[in-house]
């Protein structure tokens, strides 16, 4: 069963529109070489940072590594405040404080945990 002439014509029209939209988008998104170089440099830094972080987590205990990973959203929020003047809601501040407190409880030394437990 073949497609009708009408549906084939509609498909050709849709393909033509999609090709035109794509062509316009690519042509209008022509970036200067400085912007492209900046994006490539940023990608390299992110890749190196990810490799360094993965290597660093291999040197830590699972509890410590996961606790540090839990702090990253808090650090990101603080960076948003410092760099971009963002404002946090009360619930976000409570969540960040809870995350920091839980992280501190998880990574504090065993001697302190035992003393707190009365052993």
């Amino acid at each position: 069963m073949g497609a009708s002439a009408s549906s084939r014509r509609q498909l050709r029209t849709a393909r033509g529109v999609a090709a035109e939209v794509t062509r316009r988008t690519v042509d209008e998104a022509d970036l200067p070489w400085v912007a492209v170089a900046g994006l490539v440099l940023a990608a390299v830094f992110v890749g190196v940072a990810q490799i360094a972080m993965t290597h660093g987590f291999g040197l830590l205990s699972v509890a410590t590594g996961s606790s540090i990973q839990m702090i990253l959203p808090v650090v990101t929020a603080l960076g948003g405040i410092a760099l971009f003047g963002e404002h946090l809601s009360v619930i976000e501040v409570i969540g960040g404080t809870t995350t920091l407190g839980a992280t501190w409880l998880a990574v504090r030394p065993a001697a302190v945990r035992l003393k707190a437990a009365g052993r």
Side-chain angles (χ1 to χ4, degrees):
M1 292 189 352
S4 68
S6 174
S7 64
R8 284 191 299 257
R9 193 171 34 253
Q10 287 175 344
L11 182 59
R12 278 194 305 268
T13 302
R15 285 182 183 157
V17 169
E20 180 65 18
V21 167
T22 303
R23 185 190 63 75
R24 284 185 188 169
T25 304
V26 170
D27 289 344
E28 293 170 1
D30 192 22
L31 295 173
W33 70 270
V34 175
V36 173
L39 290 172
V40 169
L41 189 62
V44 169
F45 280 140
V46 167
V48 170
Q50 184 64 47
I51 291 169
M53 188 171 68
T54 301
H55 177 72
F57 281 145
L59 303 174
L60 300 173
S61 70
V62 174
T64 303
S66 63
S67 296
I68 291 172
Q69 188 71 23
M70 290 296 296
I71 293 176
L72 291 179
V74 176
V75 173
T76 302
L78 294 174
I81 293 168
L83 298 174
F84 304 115
E86 293 185 10
H87 301 285
L88 298 179
S89 68
V90 173
I91 194 75
E92 290 169 326
V93 172
I94 292 170
T97 304
T98 303
T99 300
L100 290 174
T103 300
W104 176 77
L105 288 173
V107 299
R108 63 189 176 147
V112 174
R113 285 191 296 248
L114 293 174
K115 185 176 179 183
R119 298 181 191 170

